[in-house]
Amino acid sequence: MTETPSREHIRLYVDAPLAHAAKVMLGREQTHYLRNVMRAKAGDTLGLFNGRDGEWRAAIRDFGKHTCALDVQKQIQPQRRNPDLWLLFALVKRIRTELIVEKATELGVQEIRPLLTQYTNAPRVKHERLVAISIEAAEQCGLVSVPLVHAPEPMLALLDNWPPDRRILFCDETGGDGAALKCLQQAVLAPGAAQNAPWAVLTGPEGGFSPAERARLHLMPQALAVSLGPRILRADSAAIVALGLWQSLCGDWASGSVAPPPCSDQMVAPEAIPFDP
């Protein structure tokens, strides 16, 4: 039998302003989660965050039929912004796409941009579902920022309007210019390289990038083509590895900043997110 998570670890994302003595009213799904899944009662406390005001402790005042009234008490974590890193990934099968969104959120990106490439062979995804997965991951991992999850878009159209100052760590399955960590170190330590420059990690579909897409990327001065090692990685593994490498060298893993509470798969139950296969 699955053990019920402690109410002390409940964290919920809300869209309401958070400040001392603010009143927050939860909707039907979050009320169901608190009352029927977590068995919370009036007087219990939990954490609330909205991506703007940090995390706040709030107490349950009372339950309505499909609502829950909360009283905000005090801030328990200041607002932090994730490093200026985007994840661009070609859509893959639904379960692996959802895993990529979940892990990218845990790894601390600012934006998640699913792409349609020439070799993309994946069913249509529900944008709302991906947003919900990202929110759940942020709730579980102690984050106070939720990445902006975009709707799928054609990769070449995105590259047509690419910001000139944002570098791309292009994970090229043909080998690129060398090992990812070495190439990334050379890029960020090069004379004149901007400190805290914005970056994006780009990974391809199960069939890889087309020759035309690869040629286009190699022509972009912002793109750094790299290899992720001698083994063929699945698309979800490639995204996780590349994000971890960037974070360890350029992101908040390298800064020594204090980490939020560790992730726990028990903090938020699956019922918190409606599932529509």
Side-chain angles (χ1 to χ4, degrees), residues 81-88 103-111 162 165-171 179-189 193-203 222-228 237-257:
R81 184 163 185 173
N82 291 340
D84 195 357
L85 176 65
W86 297 356
L87 172 64
L88 319 177
K103 299 311 175 187
T105 300
E106 294 177 13
L107 289 165
V109 303
Q110 276 194 18
E111 296 191 16
W162 191 255
D165 63 335
R166 184 173 294 276
R167 300 295 308 274
I168 303 174
L169 187 67
F170 163 36
C171 301
L181 186 59
K182 181 178 179 180
C183 291
L184 192 55
Q185 286 175 324
Q186 292 174 343
V188 299
L189 297 176
Q195 297 297 312
N196 301 316
W199 278 81
V201 164
L202 170 61
T203 60
Q222 302 98 321
L224 177 65
V226 300
S227 166
L228 293 180
S237 300
I240 294 168
V241 168
L243 291 174
L245 287 173
W246 189 92
Q247 279 283 30
S248 67
L249 187 64
C250 308
D252 51 16
W253 291 9
S255 68
S257 59

Side-chain angles (χ1 to χ4, degrees), residues 26-267:
L26 301 182
R28 186 182 190 123
E29 289 183 9
Q30 290 180 320
T31 297
H32 164 77
Y33 170 67
L34 285 181
R35 178 165 50 195
N36 301 321
V37 178
M38 300 303 297
R39 307 297 182 190
K41 297 177 175 58
D44 288 345
T45 60
L46 62 150
L48 299 178
F49 68 103
N50 59 10
R52 305 182 299 273
D53 301 320
E55 181 176 356
W56 291 73
R57 178 180 293 119
I60 299 173
R61 187 181 342 127
D62 55 52
F63 285 100
K65 185 176 181 180
H66 298 302
T67 60
C68 178
L70 303 173
D71 295 321
V72 180
Q73 297 177 335
K74 62 178 292 187
Q75 190 181 63
I76 56 178
Q77 186 179 171
Q79 183 62 38
R80 299 185 182 92
R81 184 163 185 173
N82 291 340
D84 195 357
L85 176 65
W86 297 356
L87 172 64
L88 319 177
F89 74 97
L91 283 174
V92 288
K93 294 177 181 177
R94 178 178 59 81
I95 292 176
R96 294 191 180 278
T97 288
E98 293 176 358
L99 179 66
I100 290 171
V101 170
E102 177 186 81
K103 299 311 175 187
T105 300
E106 294 177 13
L107 289 165
V109 303
Q110 276 194 18
E111 296 191 16
I112 299 173
R113 307 190 75 143
L115 302 178
L116 301 171
T117 66
Q118 291 184 17
Y119 293 164
T120 295
N121 182 20
R124 185 177 64 87
V125 298
K126 294 183 178 180
H127 178 237
E128 297 80 5
R129 168 84 178 147
L130 299 184
V131 171
I133 288 171
S134 182
I135 289 173
E136 181 190 17
E139 289 173 340
Q140 291 177 344
C141 289
L143 299 174
V144 291
S145 293
V146 178
L148 174 61
V149 181
H150 292 256
E153 57 193 317
M155 186 184 80
L156 293 180
L158 175 64
L159 296 181
D160 283 341
N161 299 289
W162 191 255
D165 63 335
R166 184 173 294 276
R167 300 295 308 274
I168 303 174
L169 187 67
F170 163 36
C171 301
D172 185 351
E173 68 273 11
T174 64
D177 296 323
L181 186 59
K182 181 178 179 180
C183 291
L184 192 55
Q185 286 175 324
Q186 292 174 343
V188 299
L189 297 176
Q195 297 297 312
N196 301 316
W199 278 81
V201 164
L202 170 61
T203 60
E206 293 169 336
F209 294 103
S210 72
E213 290 169 338
R214 192 176 296 110
R216 170 67 185 282
L217 285 159
H218 279 286
L219 288 174
M220 294 181 66
Q222 302 98 321
L224 177 65
V226 300
S227 166
L228 293 180
R231 286 168 289 281
I232 298 174
L233 300 180
R234 287 186 178 272
D236 48 335
S237 300
I240 294 168
V241 168
L243 291 174
L245 287 173
W246 189 92
Q247 279 283 30
S248 67
L249 187 64
C250 308
D252 51 16
W253 291 9
S255 68
S257 59
V258 178
C263 300
S264 169
D265 290 340
Q266 292 186 328
M267 287 185 188

